[in-house]
Amino acid sequence: MYYTQVSFPMGKILLIKSNKGLSIAKYLKAPNEAGKLLSFLKNSSFTLKENDKLFKPEKELFYEYFNGKQTDFTCVPIDFISGTPFQKKVWLETRKIPYGKTEAYKSIGEKLGQKGFQSIGQALSRNPLIIIVPCHRVLKSDGTLGGFSAGLKLKDYLLRLEQGNVPI
DNA sequence: TACATAAGAATAG
DNA sequence: CTATTCTTATGTA
């Protein structure tokens, strides 16, 4: 397992990948959060090494994205190291939402043939791949933001970024 | 329009 | 089994 960090105007993102693909993309609210997460993973019998070169393609995509360009993350190989089958289904479906578009929690459920909309939000709250899986494009059915585990500030920022109204 | 509340599916502990 | 969650629909004023 390898890791690196990407900086952007709202903070930093910790990236972790296995030999198969990207496993975690976590927004760091506090500077010490990276260390906490890394030591937690080391205790879970993962061997972690820092390796910036390995993330070159991903980093370039992030830089493009935060530059306001329409970026497609669907070609990035991913490798879930956690999550139930249901959660993975939700994440994969969410990943198909195109740049700049939004969906309701309920309509995600309908696409999956799932009756529960509450569990969609619950699954998305455990999304390990922020931005790669664009959970910020999922809104409540009335178009308001709803919740966001990484902070509504960030959700608002990402949505406005895709709308072309970069807030600073 | 705004606020309270019931229903609802899946998961973590 | 109970509590929790990035919800939705309905009722009341």
Side-chain angles (χ1 to χ4, degrees), chain A residues 8-23:
Chain A
F8 72 109
M10 295 294 275
K12 283 187 174 182
I13 295 173
L14 175 67
L15 297 178
I16 298 179
K17 67 157 50 170
S18 69
N19 54 351
K20 290 183 194 166
L22 210 56
S23 298

Side-chain angles (χ1 to χ4, degrees), chain A residues 8-10 13 61-71 73 99-101 131 136-137 153-168:
Chain A
F8 72 109
M10 295 294 275
I13 295 173
L61 285 176
F62 274 108
Y63 291 142
E64 268 190 29
Y65 180 79
F66 290 121
N67 222 21
K69 289 175 82 174
Q70 180 167 333
T71 309
F73 286 98
Y99 188 96
K101 289 231 174 186
I131 298 179
H136 56 279
R137 295 187 192 136
K153 261 189 325 188
L154 185 63
K155 184 167 186 172
D156 183 58
Y157 172 81
L158 293 173
L159 284 171
R160 285 203 269 172
L161 180 65
E162 299 190 1
Q163 240 64 187
N165 303 317
V166 185
I168 289 181

